Amino acid sequence: MPGMVMFGRRWAIASDDFVFPGAFELFIRMIWWIGILVLYSIHKGKFNCTGGGLLHSYLLVLLILLAAIICAVSAIVCISMQGTISNPGPRKSLPKLLYTRLGLYIPELVWAVVGAIWVSDTDVHCERTVVNVVFWTVIASWVIIIFTIVAVAIVFDPLGGKKTLYLADDINRNLESSQSGQLFYNVKKTATRVWETRIRLLCCCIMQDDDHRVAFTSIAELFRTYFSDTDLVPSDIAAGLTLLHQEQDKVENCPKEPEEVLCHSHPSHTDDLDIELENAAHYMQFAAAAYGWPYYIYTNPFTAFCKLNGDCPTDFDIIGGDRLNFHFGSILKITGLQYRDFIHISFHNKIFEIPFFVALDHKKEAIVVAVRGTLSFEDILTDLSAECEDLTLEDILENGFVHKGITQAANYIYRRLINDGILNKAFTIAPEYKLVIVGHSLGGGTASVLAIMLRNSFPTLRCYAFSPPGGLLSKSLADYSKSFIVSVIVGKDLVARLSMPNMEDLKRRIVRIVANCNRPKYQILLYGCWYEVFGGDPDNFPTELDGRNQAALTQPLLAEESLMMHRSPSYNAIEDESPLDAPPQSRHLYLPGKIIHIVEKTSSRRWCSSDVKYTARWSKETAFSNILISPKMITDHMPDVVPLALCGPSPQHRTTP
C-alpha cells in the first residue's frame, strides 16, 4: 500500500518490498563475485588451454556484470528501506532502478548461454576445477533468471491496468455519464471474472457442476467486493497483522476495571455451566469422530493404522463409500460405540452436501446426529458461500437471515433425515431417547441451522456447536436458539469471529494502523517475526506518530505513479478520521445459542506452551465482534484442541449486576 506502477500498470508489490529479497540476492551475488574473482586471480596468465581465450573473456565480463548487478541491487535495497508504508515519497526513484536491474538480465541471459556453450564444448581441455566452477556459475545464472520470472508472475495483478480507476470510484461517484457508468461496470465485471478464474484453478481437481458454478460466481463477487476498495499488497497485510497483534497485547496487559470484565458474561446465572461442560466434553467425541480417519490418524499418528487394520464389519450400509472401512473404523474407535449402535452413516461429499452419521448414545440416552466439519474443497466452497439467505419456518416468529452455504448443507441433511426416514427409524428403535445434534466448525454451523429446522418437531432437541463460524444467524434467530443450542468457543478462535462485518472492521484497522505507523515496513516485519517466535514486550511503534500530524503523511495510499492524482477510499477514510466502528454494509450475523467461552488461565501466546490450564465462562455474542490476532487464532479452532480445553476447565459463574 501503495502498489507499484511499472510498465503502465499496477503490480501486487510495493516499493518497500525489495529489502529482504534484495538483501538475499546481494548476499548471493557478493559470494559469487568474490569466488569468481579468486578463480580469475589464481588462473591469471594460465588461460593457454584449449578454449582458454573464451574462458578468460567469460570470467572478465562476468566480473564486470556481477559488479554492475551488485551496485544496482545495493541501490534498490537502500532506496526500498526509505520512507514508510504510507509515505512512499522517498522511494520514488525505485522504478528507475528496477528498470536498470531488469535491463541487466539481458546480458546475464546472454552470458549464461555463452557459459553453457563453453561448458558443453567437448574440445575444452582446461582444468577440471575451472570447468566445474563455470558449470555451477551457469546453473546459478539460470536459477536466478527462472526465479525472477516466477516472482514476476506471482506479483502480476490481472487488474493492474484498471485498479486505479476502480479505486477512484468513490471520488468520481458524482459522474453520472453513461460512459463512466459503463466503464465502472466493465471493471467490476472483469474483477469478478478474475476471482472466478482463480477459484476455478484452485478447485480444478474436483468435478464441477451447476452448483459449483453458482458458488464460484458468488464467492468471486464476495472477494471482489471485499478487496476492491483498498490498495493493500500482501506484505502490507502481514505488517498490519503484526502491528495489530502487538497493540492488542498491550491492551490485554493493561489492568481492567471490574465493569469491563463483567461485560462479556452471560446475564443468566440459573444455567448450570458444570453440566453443560460435561455434556459438551461428551458430545465433542461425536463431532470429532465425524472427521473419520484423518482426525484419528492425526491424533494417533504412530498407532492408528495398526488399530484400524481389518477391525470393522464390511456389510454395514455406508453411503458414499468407505475404502478399507477406515472412516467407519475410526468413528468406532473415537466414540467407543458398537457398529450396531449406528443408524446411518454418510460420507457423501459435494458442495452443500456434507457427511454425517446418526448413532445411538446409550450413555446419555440420546440419538446423536453428528455433522462433519471442513475437510475438502467442496466444504471450503460451502464455507465461502457466505451470502445472506432468508430462513422462513412455520410457527417460528423469529425468522431471519442465515449463512447461505451452511443453510444449503443443513437443508440437505434435513431432507435425508426426514424424507429418507432416518430419524423415524432411530426413534422406532429408541423412542424414549432425546435428539442431540452436534458438529465442529462447518459441522457446528450446519448442526445449529439443522436444529432450528427440527426444533418444532422435536421440542426436547439439544444442539452442541463446537467452534461454529461467527457469521451464521441474524440476531432474532440467534436469540431464539439460546433455549436449545450451546456454542463452545476456545480462546481466540478465528472462525468463531469470521463474518463480513468483522472482516471489514479488520480491514479498516489494518489500513489505519499501517498508515499511522512511522517505521519502515522491513523493521515492522523483522520485529514482528522476533516477537511472534521469541516473545518479549510489544514495541511502541504500532500507534505512535512521534508527534507528527496526518499532514506529514505527504503521499496518499494509491499506486505510486498517480500519487498526487487519486486517493484510495481507504486513505480518504483515514484522512476523514472515520470511526473504526462505523456500520459496515454487510448484514450482521452472530454465533448460535448460548456461548461457553473457554480461555487459558494465563496468557500463553507461544505455539509450544505446555501444561496449559483453561477456565470456562458464559459469554455474549458481542464478545466476538472483532477478530483477535494471535499465533493461536488457528490452532484454537482445531478439533483436537477443543477436547483438551473441555477436559478440565474450571468454570467461572459470572453474572451482570
Side-chain angles (χ1 to χ4, degrees), residues 336-393:
L337 301 179
Q338 303 296 318
Y339 73 91
R340 59 179 174 273
D341 295 326
F342 289 85
I343 306 298
H344 181 83
I345 299 178
S346 172
F347 298 116
H348 171 76
N349 193 198
K350 289 178 57 180
I351 184 172
F352 307 139
E353 298 176 5
I354 57 181
F356 70 98
F357 69 81
V358 180
L360 301 178
D361 176 20
H362 302 296
K363 181 178 180 180
K364 293 288 186 179
E365 296 188 342
I367 297 171
V368 179
V369 179
V371 186
R372 197 189 76 180
T374 303
L375 200 63
S376 67
F377 273 121
E378 288 87 352
D379 298 336
I380 294 173
L381 293 175
T382 301
D383 282 315
L384 293 177
S385 299
E387 295 180 14
C388 288
E389 183 175 83
D390 288 315
L391 180 65
T392 303
L393 301 172

Side-chain angles (χ1 to χ4, degrees), residues 563-640:
L563 281 173
M564 304 312 298
M565 296 171 57
H566 303 289
R567 292 173 184 263
S568 73
S570 301
Y571 187 80
N572 292 334
I574 295 170
E575 271 199 330
D576 297 337
E577 296 185 356
S578 60
L580 293 180
D581 56 353
Q585 299 300 319
S586 306
R587 290 189 178 98
H588 284 273
L589 298 179
Y590 301 90
L591 288 165
K594 296 183 299 183
I595 303 169
I596 296 177
H597 192 196
I598 303 176
V599 297
E600 296 178 10
K601 281 187 176 181
T602 56
S603 178
S604 176
R605 297 184 300 100
R606 304 282 80 81
W607 293 293
C608 48
S609 57
S610 58
D611 194 26
V612 178
K613 295 182 179 180
Y614 294 93
T615 182
R617 65 187 179 211
W618 291 113
S619 188
K620 291 183 178 180
E621 61 271 12
T622 53
F624 304 90
S625 59
N626 55 59
I627 294 173
L628 302 180
I629 309 302
S630 168
K632 293 189 174 183
M633 61 194 295
I634 302 297
T635 57
D636 281 344
H637 179 74
M638 300 303 288
D640 61 315

Side-chain angles (χ1 to χ4, degrees), residues 329-587:
S330 299
I331 293 174
L332 291 172
K333 294 291 185 182
I334 296 170
T335 60
L337 301 179
Q338 303 296 318
Y339 73 91
R340 59 179 174 273
D341 295 326
F342 289 85
I343 306 298
H344 181 83
I345 299 178
S346 172
F347 298 116
H348 171 76
N349 193 198
K350 289 178 57 180
I351 184 172
F352 307 139
E353 298 176 5
I354 57 181
F356 70 98
F357 69 81
V358 180
L360 301 178
D361 176 20
H362 302 296
K363 181 178 180 180
K364 293 288 186 179
E365 296 188 342
I367 297 171
V368 179
V369 179
V371 186
R372 197 189 76 180
T374 303
L375 200 63
S376 67
F377 273 121
E378 288 87 352
D379 298 336
I380 294 173
L381 293 175
T382 301
D383 282 315
L384 293 177
S385 299
E387 295 180 14
C388 288
E389 183 175 83
D390 288 315
L391 180 65
T392 303
L393 301 172
E394 295 181 2
D395 301 325
I396 294 182
L397 299 178
E398 294 84 356
N399 292 316
F401 298 105
V402 290
H403 183 291
K404 178 181 177 179
I406 292 177
T407 303
Q408 295 287 340
N411 273 321
Y412 161 73
I413 298 178
Y414 178 87
R415 292 192 300 268
R416 297 291 310 279
L417 293 177
I418 301 301
N419 297 345
D420 294 355
I422 296 173
L423 285 185
N424 183 55
K425 177 181 178 182
F427 279 103
T428 300
I429 297 173
E432 72 282 4
Y433 281 19
K434 61 180 180 292
L435 180 62
V436 178
I437 307 176
V438 302
H440 172 267
S441 188
L442 169 63
T446 304
S448 300
V449 178
L450 179 62
I452 294 174
M453 295 176 174
L454 293 171
R455 169 66 171 174
N456 277 350
S457 301
F458 302 92
T460 61
L461 173 150
R462 298 288 292 173
C463 174
Y464 290 89
F466 303 95
S467 308
L472 186 63
L473 305 176
S474 62
K475 188 65 167 65
S476 60
L477 282 176
D479 290 340
Y480 168 75
S481 66
K482 288 181 179 180
S483 61
F484 57 94
I485 298 178
V486 174
S487 291
V488 178
I489 310 298
V490 177
K492 298 178 180 179
D493 184 353
L494 170 65
V495 175
R497 294 170 169 83
L498 272 184
S499 66
M500 285 307 298
N502 286 2
M503 290 295 292
E504 291 288 345
D505 171 70
L506 177 65
K507 180 170 64 177
R508 287 192 294 270
R509 286 190 289 150
I510 289 176
V511 172
R512 172 64 61 84
I513 203 166
V514 297
N516 284 348
C517 184
N518 66 333
R519 300 287 184 88
K521 188 191 297 182
Y522 77 93
Q523 291 185 13
I524 298 173
L525 295 176
L526 275 177
Y527 186 84
C529 290
W530 179 273
Y531 182 72
E532 299 297 341
V533 176
F534 300 105
D537 296 326
D539 204 337
N540 290 324
F541 63 69
T543 56
E544 288 186 354
L545 287 172
D546 291 348
R548 299 185 306 159
N549 54 33
Q550 284 293 91
L553 298 176
T554 56
Q555 305 291 0
L557 305 181
L558 198 56
E560 297 174 31
E561 190 174 272
S562 54
L563 281 173
M564 304 312 298
M565 296 171 57
H566 303 289
R567 292 173 184 263
S568 73
S570 301
Y571 187 80
N572 292 334
I574 295 170
E575 271 199 330
D576 297 337
E577 296 185 356
S578 60
L580 293 180
D581 56 353
Q585 299 300 319
S586 306
R587 290 189 178 98

Side-chain angles (χ1 to χ4, degrees), residues 36 40 55-67 107 111:
I36 297 298
Y40 181 81
L55 174 62
H56 178 270
S57 301
Y58 176 81
L59 294 178
L60 188 61
V61 174
L62 184 60
L63 283 172
I64 298 173
L65 182 60
L66 286 175
W111 226 237

Side-chain angles (χ1 to χ4, degrees), residues 50-123:
T50 304
L54 181 59
L55 174 62
H56 178 270
S57 301
Y58 176 81
L59 294 178
L60 188 61
V61 174
L62 184 60
L63 283 172
I64 298 173
L65 182 60
L66 286 175
I69 292 175
I70 288 171
C71 291
V73 174
S74 299
I76 289 172
V77 172
C78 291
I79 296 299
S80 186
M81 296 171 70
Q82 305 301 312
T84 63
I85 296 176
S86 58
N87 185 20
R91 304 187 297 272
K92 61 184 179 181
S93 61
L94 190 65
K96 297 179 181 177
L97 292 172
L98 288 175
Y99 287 132
T100 302
R101 174 66 189 94
L102 290 173
L104 290 172
Y105 276 107
I106 297 175
E108 184 175 13
L109 176 61
V110 172
W111 226 237
V113 173
V114 171
I117 294 174
W118 186 86
V119 169
S120 60
D121 189 353
T122 56
D123 294 331

Side-chain angles (χ1 to χ4, degrees), residues 166-406:
Y166 192 16
L167 289 174
D169 172 66
D170 281 356
I171 302 164
N172 300 321
R173 198 173 292 277
N174 59 331
L175 299 178
E176 299 290 344
S177 69
S178 59
Q179 183 179 3
S180 62
Q182 182 64 35
L183 191 60
F184 184 59
Y185 169 79
N186 291 337
V187 171
K188 291 196 297 183
K189 186 177 179 180
T190 302
T192 302
R193 188 166 59 248
V194 167
W195 278 109
E196 190 170 349
T197 301
R198 290 169 174 170
I199 296 169
R200 288 182 184 277
L201 289 174
L202 286 174
C203 302
C204 62
C205 59
I206 62 176
M207 294 184 62
Q208 299 177 10
D209 54 20
D210 291 338
D211 286 338
H212 287 86
R213 285 187 283 273
V214 171
F216 289 161
T217 302
S218 174
I219 296 168
E221 184 67 25
L222 181 72
F223 283 3
R224 193 270 304 168
T225 302
Y226 183 75
F227 290 105
S228 66
D229 63 343
T230 45
D231 199 17
L232 294 168
V233 299
S235 60
D236 297 328
I237 298 174
L241 291 176
T242 189
L243 291 174
L244 286 176
H245 183 205
Q246 293 175 65
E247 182 184 57
Q248 170 190 307
D249 284 353
K250 287 195 297 184
V251 172
E252 287 182 352
N253 292 336
C254 295
K256 295 179 174 60
E257 297 294 331
E259 293 82 4
E260 187 178 355
V261 174
L262 290 174
C263 71
H264 297 302
S265 58
H266 197 277
S268 174
H269 60 277
T270 59
D271 299 301
D272 193 335
L273 183 57
D274 291 308
I275 294 177
E276 294 293 10
L277 284 172
E278 191 271 333
N279 288 335
H282 174 76
Y283 289 119
M284 181 59 202
Q285 299 176 70
F286 293 84
Y291 284 100
W293 66 260
Y295 176 83
Y296 187 67
I297 291 176
Y298 177 72
T299 53
N300 302 272
F302 302 110
T303 60
F305 284 106
C306 297
K307 292 181 178 179
L308 293 176
N309 188 19
D311 194 27
C312 310
T314 58
D315 57 347
F316 195 86
D317 185 21
I318 297 177
I319 305 299
D322 179 18
R323 185 173 299 177
L324 302 179
N325 284 330
F326 273 11
H327 275 309
F328 192 18
S330 299
I331 293 174
L332 291 172
K333 294 291 185 182
I334 296 170
T335 60
L337 301 179
Q338 303 296 318
Y339 73 91
R340 59 179 174 273
D341 295 326
F342 289 85
I343 306 298
H344 181 83
I345 299 178
S346 172
F347 298 116
H348 171 76
N349 193 198
K350 289 178 57 180
I351 184 172
F352 307 139
E353 298 176 5
I354 57 181
F356 70 98
F357 69 81
V358 180
L360 301 178
D361 176 20
H362 302 296
K363 181 178 180 180
K364 293 288 186 179
E365 296 188 342
I367 297 171
V368 179
V369 179
V371 186
R372 197 189 76 180
T374 303
L375 200 63
S376 67
F377 273 121
E378 288 87 352
D379 298 336
I380 294 173
L381 293 175
T382 301
D383 282 315
L384 293 177
S385 299
E387 295 180 14
C388 288
E389 183 175 83
D390 288 315
L391 180 65
T392 303
L393 301 172
E394 295 181 2
D395 301 325
I396 294 182
L397 299 178
E398 294 84 356
N399 292 316
F401 298 105
V402 290
H403 183 291
K404 178 181 177 179
I406 292 177

